[in-house]
Amino acid sequence: MKLYKIAKGIIIEFNEKYYFKSSLDWDNFVNKDNLYQQIKAEIPQLNEIEFGEEILTPIGTQEIWASGVTYMRSREARMEESKDSGAAVFYSHVYEAERPELFFKSSYFRASGPDEPVYIRKDSQWNVPEPELTLFASTSGKIVGYTIGNDMSSRDIEGENPLYLPQAKCYERAAAIGPCLYVPESPIAPDTTITMTIIRKEKEVFQGQISINQMKRKHTELIEFLFREMHFPNGVYLMTGTCLVPDDTFSLQVDDQVKIKIPEIGELTNTVAMMRK
Ligand code: DO4
Ligand code: MG
């Protein structure tokens, strides 16, 4: 089952058919421990429709959080970019530690959705997208859905000093999620793949694919740490970390297109831009 947010309400995709729910209250609609069962039970009362609407960011007022260094590839890339600052050892430690790296990524109003721009910072020379499976957990901490996330990152700013992480990671349109909230009956399969393609002037400049079973940590473990000393009145999104890092000579440019595909969920496409004041 997939939920798409549109201007007039919510479109539910179920068994290759589309149903319209006139609710404008995304927060309330998705924040349920038995989300799949509740929506399935409601479908017989909904009208089937043709789907040709513009898709909005699948978010209400939820916060977007992110996990770091959950894959070996991310650990290696971070250790390399921070070697001159002396901080490389911290990435190695956090990969092994019991406590994961979790950080605040974006408010809903700062995030981008499908086909919207993602920004690179004007004060950074080394910017990359990070394609990440993104969990949606209800207020009680139950994982009830998934989406695709792009954790845009300024590698030179983070590499200079790890205390600059919030500036490397949290700025206008540094987070993109979409195209839908995927709500399966049971947890997403461990062999789920993530593919990222970057297109520049109609040419492919990066292509990579990984499987989420390469991740060091469990989804439930990340959510358990996130919920330890915080509550989320409308649920929360949590990006689960990246395993696809372009080589060190690569940096995004304005007008690059970033395409991230997770077959169960769909494809999230964003074009790179810079913020205008
Ligand atoms: O430690 C910095 C952030 C790591 C991250 O975003 C990732 O591993 O995906
Ligand atoms: Mg990341």
Side-chain angles (χ1 to χ4, degrees), residues 65-68 100-104 222-223 225-227 238-239:
W65 283 72
S67 322
E101 179 194 0
L102 298 176
F103 58 94
F104 180 73
L222 296 173
I223 290 289
F225 269 95
L226 185 64
F227 276 69
L238 177 62
M239 295 180 171

Side-chain angles (χ1 to χ4, degrees), residues 68-69 74 78 91 101 103 130 132 151 158 165 169 241-242:
V69 199
S74 177
R78 256 82 207 188
Y91 294 98
E101 179 194 0
F103 58 94
E130 294 187 358
E132 306 191 6
D151 170 23
E158 183 185 342
L165 186 80
K169 294 282 192 178
T242 193

Side-chain angles (χ1 to χ4, degrees), residues 191-204:
D191 61 354
T192 297
T193 57
I194 306 179
T195 306
M196 179 167 74
T197 311
I198 304 173
I199 315 279
R200 180 171 300 157
K201 296 189 174 89
E202 291 168 21
K203 286 209 179 80
E204 197 177 282

Side-chain angles (χ1 to χ4, degrees), residues 29-250:
F29 188 70
V30 298
N31 185 23
K32 297 180 182 110
D33 285 353
N34 54 354
L35 186 58
Y36 177 89
Q37 287 78 11
Q38 270 200 236
I39 300 176
K40 192 175 168 200
E42 215 182 310
I43 284 175
Q45 285 95 61
L46 300 177
N47 289 331
E48 196 182 328
I49 54 152
E50 296 288 318
F51 186 9
E53 315 276 337
E54 186 194 349
I55 302 171
L56 306 179
T57 317
I59 198 165
T61 63
Q62 289 88 8
E63 293 175 350
I64 303 174
W65 283 72
S67 322
V69 199
T70 51
Y71 291 89
M72 181 57 90
R73 175 71 185 108
S74 177
R75 172 189 176 273
E76 283 166 0
R78 256 82 207 188
M79 288 180 74
E80 179 60 27
E81 81 195 8
S82 63
K83 63 179 190 300
D84 295 341
S85 74
V89 68
F90 294 107
Y91 294 98
S92 170
H93 284 170
V94 82
Y95 184 76
E96 302 297 340
E98 188 201 346
R99 184 187 294 276
E101 179 194 0
L102 298 176
F103 58 94
F104 180 73
K105 176 66 188 173
S106 184
S107 303
Y108 66 91
F109 56 83
R110 200 163 272 138
S112 286
D115 300 316
E116 289 188 330
V118 283
Y119 287 168
I120 50 176
R121 294 184 65 112
K122 289 189 276 297
D123 58 359
S124 166
Q125 307 308 313
W126 191 13
N127 294 283
V128 292
E130 294 187 358
E132 306 191 6
L133 176 69
T134 299
L135 315 174
F136 177 70
S138 64
T139 295
S140 68
K142 179 151 189 259
I143 299 166
V144 294
Y146 306 84
T147 189
I148 300 172
N150 180 352
D151 170 23
M152 293 285 288
S153 302
S154 298
R155 292 190 65 188
D156 48 355
I157 295 179
E158 183 185 342
E160 187 182 338
N161 187 325
L163 297 179
Y164 294 153
L165 186 80
Q167 293 175 75
K169 294 282 192 178
C170 316
Y171 55 89
E172 210 64 33
R173 293 187 184 274
I177 59 166
C180 63
L181 181 65
Y182 168 59
V183 182
E185 196 172 2
S186 45
I188 198 162
D191 61 354
T192 297
T193 57
I194 306 179
T195 306
M196 179 167 74
T197 311
I198 304 173
I199 315 279
R200 180 171 300 157
K201 296 189 174 89
E202 291 168 21
K203 286 209 179 80
E204 197 177 282
V205 288
F206 177 84
Q207 221 270 352
Q209 186 180 74
I210 60 105
S211 166
I212 62 167
N213 60 20
Q214 293 169 36
M215 188 164 108
K216 172 123 196 290
R217 300 187 186 261
K218 294 192 174 65
H219 296 158
T220 47
E221 171 191 347
L222 296 173
I223 290 289
E224 192 271 312
F225 269 95
L226 185 64
F227 276 69
R228 274 194 181 185
E229 297 289 333
M230 272 189 292
H231 99 288
F232 299 98
N234 299 309
V236 63
Y237 283 96
L238 177 62
M239 295 180 171
T240 56
T242 193
C243 185
L244 279 173
V245 185
D247 69 39
D248 292 355
T249 56
F250 180 88

